[in-house]
Amino acid sequence: MPEGNSTATDRSALGLRDIVEEFLYHEASLLDAWRLDEWLALFTTDGRYLVPTTDLPDGDPKKDLVFIDDDMVRLRARVERLKSRHGHREYPSSRTRHFISNARINVEETGIVVSSSFLIYRFRMGESSPYVGFYEHRLKRVDGELKIDQKKAVLDLEALSDHGAVSIIL
């Protein structure tokens, strides 16, 4: 858009887009570098991480089966397990590469809702597995910084038969 036609609202929206996209890229880089404690610090104190089943992507974790429904207590335990030898599905750790695109940002009273597409390649023990889907991040500002209030990763896969399980953090 030519600069002369830009409004203050347009510039503000573009600034927010830059901030949100950089946040998503930073989160992805932490996961790819297996810096899980730093990734966990991106969450609010009551944050949530959700991965619904492939056959019920809109499932309600209160009444439907989901792959992952972690509050902060379970999420901390997941991170500790993944960092230890006891997380046998991820010891040694997988190598991953997260690609994020098509971010759509909606500012609501309760925070910022971001939907985006993802492609994650997982490499482990001579095999590679792609995970494809979309994220819904619910972000809040806490002390001037963006934090994840909820992260939902919806897989487009019809089944996890080739993958076996979701042992990485999507």
Side-chain angles (χ1 to χ4, degrees), residues 96-111:
T96 61
R97 187 63 53 207
H98 288 67
F99 296 91
I100 301 166
S101 66
N102 302 342
R104 306 295 290 171
I105 301 166
N106 188 26
V107 178
E108 298 180 352
E109 283 184 30
T110 57

Side-chain angles (χ1 to χ4, degrees), residues 124-159:
R124 185 164 191 272
M125 304 188 97
E127 294 185 10
S128 65
S129 305
Y131 292 84
V132 180
F134 72 90
Y135 291 129
E136 182 182 274
H137 283 81
R138 294 185 174 276
L139 306 175
K140 288 185 176 177
R141 288 202 184 270
V142 177
D143 297 327
E145 293 183 31
L146 285 181
K147 295 283 186 177
I148 301 169
D149 191 47
Q150 178 176 296
K151 178 180 181 176
K152 180 178 179 182
V154 179
L155 292 164
D156 286 337
L157 309 169
E158 292 177 356

